[in-house]
Amino acid sequence: MKIGEAAKATNLPIKTVRYYADIGLVAPDGRGANGYREYDETAVEKLRFVGRARSFGFSVPECAELLSLYEDKTRASADVKRIAEAKIVALDAKLAELHELRDELARVATACAGDSRAKCAILDRFSKV
Amino acid sequence: MKIGEAAKATNLPIKTVRYYADIGLVAPDGRGANGYREYDETAVEKLRFVGRARSFGFSVPECAELLSLYEDKTRASADVKRIAEAKIVALDAKLAELHELRDELARVATACAGDSRAKCAILDRFSKV
DNA sequence: ATAAACTTTCCAGTCACAGGAGACTCAAGC
DNA sequence: GCTTGAGTCTCCTGTGACTGGAAAGTTTAT
C-alpha cells in the first residue's frame, strides 16, 4: 500500500511516516516504479508498534531499541522489562509532582472570592508590587 | 541572588532560567551594576512553579497564563478563578492520562516474564493495537 | 482531457531549550 | 598586585521530533 493508506491504517500523519522512513526508524517495504514508498503489512505493523510506543513516552531512539528487540524474538525479555520499569519510575515522579501542582492551583482558585474584586489572598503572597 | 544560585534553588538549568528571562516568562528582579541578573524570592517562586508546570507538558504560553494568576492584580478575581479552574480541569485530565499510562505500563511490565524467554507481554501489547 | 488528489524531494520553521565561543567580572590565594 | 578559577554576559548554532509549504511528477475520477 502507498504512504497515505499506511498513514491511515496506523493513525499517524503522513509527514511522520515519511520522517520515520527518512531517519531509518521504519523503512517502507520498498519503492514502486514511480518512486512511491510501498508499505506492506510488516512495515505497517512496525509503524503501529512505534506509534504506540511513542504514545507511551518512549523517545525515538528508545523506540528503535524496542523495535530491535521486537524484531529479534530470541532476545531476552529482561531487556524490555528493564526499559519499561525505568519508565514507570519516571512516570511516578511526574505524577507526584503533577498532584502537587494541581493542589497548589486549587488553593489559588479557592482563595479567589470569585467576584469582581481584584483581591486574592494567595496572589498577594506571590505578588511583589 | 545571582542566576546560578537561583538555578540551583529551582533545580532548573541556568540556560533555562536565562531563556525564561529572554522570552519574558520569568523576569529577574533586576540587574546588578555589573549587568548580572538578580533573582529575589518571588522570582524563584515563579521559576519553581513554571518548572513544575513545564514538566507536565504545559507549553510556555500556558505557563505564562498560569503565572498571570500570580502576577496580574488588576484582573477581576472572577477571571482569575475562571482561568484557574479551566487549568485545573486540564491538569486533572493530564493526571488521568498519566495514571492510565502508568498503570498500563506497570501491568504489562509485571506480565513480562523478565527472563530469557523470547515471549514478552510488553512487546505483544505494543503490536496488538 | 482535464481536474483533483496523491506522492515526491527539499528547504524552512517550530518549540523549548542545550552547547559553545569570546569577553567581562568577581573572590581567593600567593 | 597578579594570577587563577569560577561565574556571568551576549551571540550564534544545533537538537529532537516533527510540521508546513513549494515545486514537480503521478494517479484517479469524471
Side-chain angles (χ1 to χ4, degrees):
Chain A
M1 68 181 84
K2 283 178 291 182
I3 197 170
E5 202 183 340
K8 207 166 280 180
T10 57
N11 215 25
L12 289 171
I14 288 186
K15 280 278 188 181
T16 299
V17 176
R18 209 173 272 131
Y19 173 71
Y20 288 164
D22 285 350
I23 64 173
L25 181 61
V26 179
D29 190 36
R31 296 283 184 134
N34 48 20
Y36 287 12
R37 290 172 184 81
E38 259 303 317
Y39 288 87
D40 61 356
E41 200 41 56
T42 306
V44 167
E45 195 57 39
K46 287 180 189 171
L47 282 174
R48 239 182 242 125
F49 177 94
V50 168
R52 184 145 183 98
R54 286 283 301 126
S55 84
F56 271 65
F58 288 94
S59 71
V60 163
E62 281 171 329
C63 285
E65 194 178 356
L66 282 168
L67 203 53
S68 80
L69 296 172
Y70 173 67
E71 283 172 327
D72 184 2
K73 299 276 193 188
T74 67
R75 202 149 163 194
S77 64
D79 290 343
V80 181
K81 193 186 178 101
R82 181 180 45 75
I83 294 171
E85 279 174 347
K87 213 67 198 170
I88 288 172
V89 169
L91 279 177
D92 280 343
K94 241 177 190 324
L95 274 169
E97 276 186 78
L98 184 49
H99 270 299
E100 229 180 276
L101 181 69
R102 193 252 180 230
D103 291 347
E104 185 164 345
L105 201 51
R107 278 208 312 278
V108 174
T110 40
C112 279
D115 57 21
S116 58
R117 287 178 304 133
K119 192 165 169 64
C120 198
I122 296 215
L123 294 186
D124 286 346
R125 189 164 67 78
F126 285 101
S127 184
K128 65 171 186 141
V129 181
Chain B
M1 66 182 86
K2 283 179 291 182
I3 197 169
E5 201 183 341
K8 207 165 282 181
T10 57
N11 216 26
L12 287 172
I14 287 187
K15 280 278 187 182
T16 300
V17 176
R18 209 173 273 132
Y19 173 71
Y20 288 163
D22 286 350
I23 65 173
L25 180 61
V26 178
D29 191 35
R31 296 281 184 135
N34 47 18
Y36 287 11
R37 290 171 184 81
E38 260 301 320
Y39 288 87
D40 60 357
E41 200 42 54
T42 305
V44 168
E45 198 61 45
K46 288 178 189 173
L47 283 174
R48 246 182 235 122
F49 187 91
V50 168
R52 264 177 286 138
R54 283 289 302 124
S55 81
F56 310 130
F58 281 90
S59 70
V60 164
E62 281 172 330
C63 287
E65 196 179 358
L66 285 167
L67 269 184
S68 78
L69 299 179
Y70 294 137
E71 286 171 337
D72 194 349
K73 300 198 71 173
T74 67
R75 189 189 298 268
S77 71
D79 290 341
V80 174
K81 197 184 181 87
R82 185 181 46 72
I83 293 172
E85 281 172 348
K87 287 301 173 191
I88 288 172
V89 168
L91 273 172
D92 281 341
K94 203 111 192 130
L95 260 172
E97 192 187 333
L98 269 175
H99 259 304
E100 210 179 302
L101 192 80
R102 191 257 176 228
D103 290 348
E104 176 91 347
L105 205 51
R107 201 168 56 72
V108 291
T110 359
C112 180
D115 58 20
S116 58
R117 284 182 301 139
K119 187 152 176 56
C120 180
I122 295 175
L123 296 182
D124 285 348
R125 182 66 198 170
F126 284 152
S127 54
K128 303 263 170 55
V129 179

